Amino acid sequence: MENKIKQLLLEQSEQLFGIKIEEKSVQFQLTRKEFEGDVTLVVFPFAKLLKSSPIDAANQIGEFLKQHISEIASYNVVQGFLNISLSSEYWKNKLFAIDTDNSFGRKKADSKGTILVEYSSPNTNKPLHLGHLRNNFLGYSVAEILKANGHKVIKTQIINDRGIHICKSMLAWERFSPVNINGERETPENTSLKGDKLVGKYYVVFDQEFNKEAKELIAKWESNEFDGFSAHVVEQYQKFVEAKIGKEEKAQADLDAKIKELAKNETSLLRDAKEMLVKWEARDPQTYLLWSTMNGWVYDGFKTTYEAMGVNFDRLYYESETYLLGKDLVSEGLSKGVFYKKEDGSVWVDLTADGMDEKLLLRGDGTAVYMTQDLGTALDRKKDYPDLEGVVYTVGNEQDYHFKVLFLVLKKLGYSWADKCFHLSYGMVDLPSGKMKSREGTVVDADELMTEVVQSAKEMTSERGHLEGMSSEQKDVLFKQIGMGGLKYYLLKVDPKKRMMFNPEESIELTGNTGPFIQYAHARINSLLAKAGEINGYDTALLGNEEKELIKVLAQYPAVIHEAGSAYSPALIANYCYELVKAFNHFYQSVPMLIEEDKSVRDLRLVISRNVSKVIVNSLLLLGVESPQKM
RNA sequence: GGCUCCGUGGCGCAAUUGUAUAGCGCAUCAGAUUUCGGCUCUGAGGGUUGGGGGUUAGAAUCCCUCCGGGGUCACCA
């Protein structure tokens, strides 16, 4: 309707006002509740052009529109706002259109190119945690939203299965794992630990041992034992020690940290881990076998976690397979003169002209860094999907700078599609008790959290739910739907780029802006419709204000999907869905349905309810949340 | 320090393509519903949108500046 009015105004503007108006000066908004009307045209821009008062302009436009558009029943003017009321006929037709459209709100898949949505992208040295939950739910949801907007979407992840961090776990396992009576080191089978948890355990062991060794080194240095250290290191150390003299406490602490850093680099453990990485890159068979075995454990563990999360992927990329491509790209950049080589053989790009730093692309020893592999992966993807229209990278906001650099480097290399890449950056998830820190053991494990939330859903639902006649399997499915629904909704309702607070108890509350509150409303409509039986026509029903208000909310759904797609924001869907449910609860409270005597009115209300239910189910699906029939 | 993101009632959030009296939930208080699932609904109190300045007919929203917080500035990923 807005478009129709806009079209008419644009076409007729010269005849009406004597001037041509611009498209952007035609602005609409939904009429506020406290005023009469359905859509509102903001007339300030016209008043300026017409050099008349906003009120005169509004009246003039209102009269003109009413004469030319039959669906406009009336209008009123408040200050510079033209409030337009649409006819009952219009709204009833709207309802009919919504009711008969099974894919209401979704755009058909069209000729748009493929969009890759990357999310999760874990390291294979640690189990997934709360932050990964936000990541996975976000990525999955954005992928679904883009599909609903008619895009071809490939869900993908890059698995960081290579690098010094993996070598750390491998080394620690080789060196510190106890050996059982069969002569085996610890495995998921003989410890019954989830694979990702076991490997994560050894990553922690590495860190502990490594810090221990660094401490010992510092102690040695403090008693002037410098055997076996290079002159450069000794010199650095003495420089830091001298600098400490006479400094304030804070400055001294900073210097101590630098000394620690220096010591860490001199540990045998780190040196061995680095050696291992070089061996791995040289495809040393023994190292490669260990690597693939331990990664296999991790993948088995992740698989279980992803299933519990309810997310999936269409295509996987492994860093171990793409990082070499990155090296090729680096050579290409060198020959194009975009990059340059330093004396030690390391390769850099100079971005100072763009207000950024110089950035390392390849180490002096020829091994790849993070940026190398991301460049390679990007290129690989373009090869796999020649119609690639864009890549959405779901990665935490601590990497904002990295992606800025990545996109810029790609552009400098002459890849025009770099412009279509988008970093879906999201903020950290805090707990009521404060920040998550792996060192302090306050990290919330993803598996544990999901189990906990499903357990709470069970306790709550068993106490108050409608579970008669359900088998225990059905009940388990239901508890999972409610618990996970609450968790997903809670993490998705907040604007992605904002840092957010996660309160586990609040997520499965049945009141307020929560997933279960919405699921409950759906279950109630479902039960209402089951009791109602047959629904016939509603042609003769009078459209009351309550009905109209609810149809208006339903009619917004397609616009919400569109906006959520262009803003990559599931939060818009979540908040809309909540608004819809509140509007429905109000409706439900104020008009009778099953006991309404006028059959036509009864059926009109039931048809509205049926569509509210439909939109709830579909919009929750875009968030990856299921809608149980009973709860 | 440079760059960057954020700052909205006690708490958690919405509105950020400028626009009418800044919405909502939790919590608090007062009510409604003997009938469709009371896990609902209605109402009240509570805000100088971090401070200041600017642009505009109009600013939570745009610009400048200051304050506060996060992130980042690694041959980690």
Side-chain angles (χ1 to χ4, degrees):
Chain A
M1 179 48 70
E2 278 94 337
N3 277 333
K4 194 167 176 184
I5 296 174
K6 188 191 253 181
Q7 236 19 71
L8 185 72
L9 283 177
L10 290 177
E11 279 164 20
Q12 305 285 321
S13 64
E14 260 175 293
Q15 179 200 331
L16 186 61
F17 312 120
I19 346 165
K20 195 112 188 115
I21 54 172
E22 289 175 54
E23 192 176 342
K24 65 167 196 234
S25 59
V26 186
Q27 293 168 24
F28 292 97
Q29 49 185 271
L30 296 172
T31 305
R32 293 202 168 201
K33 271 204 298 262
E34 57 269 33
F35 301 100
E36 197 192 323
D38 299 321
V39 284
T40 294
L41 177 71
V42 183
V43 291
F44 291 105
F46 302 102
K48 218 170 174 180
L49 287 171
L50 297 175
K51 297 194 176 79
S52 64
S53 84
I55 295 173
D56 290 345
N59 277 309
Q60 195 189 341
I61 297 168
E63 196 52 43
F64 171 77
L65 290 176
K66 196 181 165 191
Q67 277 168 19
H68 287 78
I69 298 178
S70 57
E71 290 98 329
I72 295 180
S74 64
Y75 68 93
N76 67 82
V77 174
V78 181
Q79 295 171 36
F81 299 92
L82 172 63
N83 300 322
I84 298 166
S85 299
L86 301 170
S87 66
S88 297
E89 219 38 52
Y90 172 81
W91 288 115
K92 275 163 85 175
N93 288 337
K94 193 91 200 173
L95 177 63
F96 181 78
I98 294 170
D99 190 43
T100 49
D101 183 353
N102 280 328
S103 54
F104 172 58
R106 296 183 74 95
K107 284 208 190 79
K108 281 208 193 79
D110 50 25
S111 54
K112 287 176 186 162
T114 298
I115 297 187
L116 248 62
V117 179
E118 176 191 301
Y119 60 97
S120 196
S121 301
N123 289 336
T124 54
N125 60 341
K126 294 182 246 204
L128 305 176
H129 58 72
L130 175 55
H132 291 110
L133 290 175
R134 191 178 194 188
N135 182 311
N136 277 272
F137 298 157
L138 254 177
Y140 177 90
S141 177
V142 165
E144 292 301 315
I145 290 168
L146 290 174
K147 278 189 206 167
N149 276 290
H151 292 280
K152 266 184 274 171
V153 175
I154 301 291
K155 295 175 187 157
T156 183
Q157 62 171 326
I158 171 83
I159 299 164
N160 299 303
D161 59 349
R162 181 212 74 93
I164 189 81
H165 55 292
I166 311 299
C167 294
K168 287 178 180 176
S169 298
M170 286 156 61
L171 190 70
W173 182 80
E174 262 194 337
R175 211 160 278 183
F176 304 111
S177 169
V179 176
N180 68 11
I181 39 169
N182 301 325
E184 305 165 340
R185 293 199 181 89
E186 290 193 331
T187 65
E189 291 76 31
N190 68 24
T191 57
S192 69
L193 258 181
K194 222 163 137 263
D196 52 330
K197 299 275 154 66
L198 179 68
V199 173
K201 180 177 142 187
Y202 281 99
Y203 188 71
V204 173
V205 168
F206 179 91
D207 204 53
Q208 287 164 349
E209 295 293 331
F210 164 69
N211 274 302
K212 206 160 90 191
E213 197 188 337
K215 237 183 209 164
E216 286 164 10
L217 282 185
I218 296 172
K220 258 191 191 171
W221 292 346
E222 278 170 353
S223 46
N224 283 311
E225 291 175 42
F226 296 109
D227 288 353
F229 295 102
S230 72
H232 178 73
V233 170
V234 177
E235 189 187 315
Q236 284 278 310
Y237 172 72
Q238 279 162 351
K239 211 176 84 191
F240 289 140
V241 171
E242 277 163 35
K244 267 170 76 176
I245 299 166
K247 288 279 164 58
E248 282 173 19
E249 212 168 298
K250 196 176 165 287
Q252 287 207 4
D254 283 350
L255 286 161
D256 279 337
K258 281 186 180 162
I259 292 172
K260 197 168 179 191
E261 209 50 46
L262 188 68
K264 278 182 174 176
N265 277 320
E266 292 303 312
T267 56
S268 67
L269 273 172
L270 186 64
R271 200 182 52 228
D272 292 350
K274 280 180 179 166
E275 236 167 60
M276 206 174 216
L277 181 62
V278 175
K279 269 169 137 179
W280 180 88
E281 290 206 9
R283 302 268 160 155
D284 170 62
Q286 216 181 331
T287 313
Y288 222 75
L289 181 66
L290 175 62
W291 172 80
S292 56
T293 306
M294 288 184 74
N295 270 336
W297 296 344
V298 174
Y299 299 148
D300 288 344
F302 283 174
K303 195 174 163 234
T304 313
T305 307
Y306 289 136
E307 271 165 17
M309 283 183 189
V311 301
N312 51 42
F313 301 90
D314 304 309
R315 174 77 157 87
L316 300 181
Y317 286 85
Y318 294 88
E319 186 191 338
S320 56
E321 291 165 4
T322 60
Y323 81 103
L324 289 173
L325 247 171
K327 289 189 185 182
D328 293 346
L329 209 60
V330 169
S331 329
E332 185 191 321
L334 271 172
S335 62
K336 279 186 182 168
V338 181
F339 306 149
Y340 67 93
K341 209 172 215 163
K342 282 195 179 172
E343 281 170 13
D344 63 357
S346 57
V347 180
W348 297 73
V349 61
D350 183 2
L351 300 172
T352 46
D354 299 280
M356 290 181 247
D357 305 319
E358 296 182 351
K359 196 81 192 170
L360 175 84
L361 298 175
L362 199 64
R363 290 195 189 99
D365 62 8
T367 55
V369 288
Y370 186 38
M371 189 60 77
T372 327
Q373 64 102 350
D374 261 3
L375 286 168
T377 310
L379 198 63
D380 203 16
R381 285 172 174 166
K382 178 64 185 172
K383 278 185 189 149
D384 289 345
Y385 302 96
D387 68 336
L388 190 68
E389 191 184 282
V391 182
V392 176
Y393 292 87
T394 314
V395 183
N397 65 5
E398 67 272 13
Q399 293 191 33
D400 284 354
Y401 184 71
H402 171 78
F403 282 99
K404 232 171 120 178
V405 172
L406 175 67
F407 299 157
L408 184 61
V409 170
L410 284 172
K411 207 172 162 179
K412 279 186 183 290
L413 285 170
Y415 299 111
S416 58
W417 43 271
D419 289 330
K420 307 262 180 77
C421 290
F422 178 76
H423 175 203
L424 175 54
S425 163
Y426 62 91
M428 190 178 295
V429 185
D430 288 318
L431 297 168
S433 54
K435 198 175 159 176
M436 284 205 308
K437 279 195 179 131
S438 48
R439 218 172 288 165
E440 292 163 22
T442 53
V443 171
V444 178
D445 180 77
D447 295 319
E448 280 171 29
L449 180 66
M450 289 192 284
T451 311
E452 204 176 289
V453 146
V454 171
Q455 180 60 31
S456 313
K458 180 176 179 177
E459 283 159 22
M460 198 183 56
T461 312
S462 309
E463 202 177 299
R464 301 188 272 188
H466 294 240
L467 301 176
E468 319 77 58
M470 290 175 86
S471 70
S472 67
E473 288 80 24
Q474 286 172 321
K475 282 182 193 169
D476 283 342
V477 170
L478 177 66
F479 301 145
K480 218 174 141 186
Q481 287 174 326
I482 297 173
M484 289 306 293
L487 181 60
K488 287 184 187 181
Y489 187 88
Y490 195 94
L491 291 174
L492 289 175
K493 74 176 177 185
V494 179
D495 179 359
K497 69 170 180 284
K498 283 192 176 169
R499 191 176 177 149
M500 71 173 293
M501 169 85 83
F502 176 73
N503 186 335
E505 288 107 50
E506 227 173 69
S507 71
I508 50 150
E509 287 282 332
L510 286 171
T511 56
N513 189 358
T514 66
F517 175 77
I518 294 170
Q519 289 173 321
Y520 175 75
H522 166 262
R524 196 164 58 166
I525 295 173
N526 199 63
S527 131
L528 178 72
L529 292 172
K531 279 192 187 151
E534 204 181 334
I535 299 174
N536 299 306
Y538 51 86
D539 289 350
T540 58
L542 270 176
L543 187 79
N545 208 40
E546 302 287 351
E547 285 84 7
K548 194 178 87 172
E549 288 305 316
L550 199 47
I551 297 172
K552 267 158 80 172
V553 181
L554 282 173
Q556 282 166 251
Y557 185 55
V560 171
I561 289 190
H562 180 78
E563 256 178 76
S566 42
Y568 304 97
S569 177
L572 295 178
I573 304 276
N575 288 316
Y576 165 77
C577 195
Y578 177 59
E579 289 301 319
L580 176 65
V581 165
K582 272 202 305 183
F584 177 77
N585 280 340
H586 173 82
F587 179 74
Y588 182 84
Q589 191 74 18
S590 37
V591 303
M593 284 192 240
L594 297 184
I595 53 171
E596 169 61 46
E597 285 175 9
D598 183 329
K599 285 286 168 249
S600 178
V601 171
R602 180 194 104 117
D603 288 351
L604 171 67
R605 289 173 183 164
L606 287 169
V607 169
I608 294 174
S609 304
R610 176 162 82 197
N611 285 282
V612 169
S613 163
K614 179 169 89 182
V615 171
I616 291 175
V617 171
N618 289 331
S619 52
L620 286 184
L621 275 180
L622 293 178
L623 304 178
V625 174
E626 293 175 272
S627 310
Q629 302 290 318
K630 282 201 257 180
M631 63 187 279

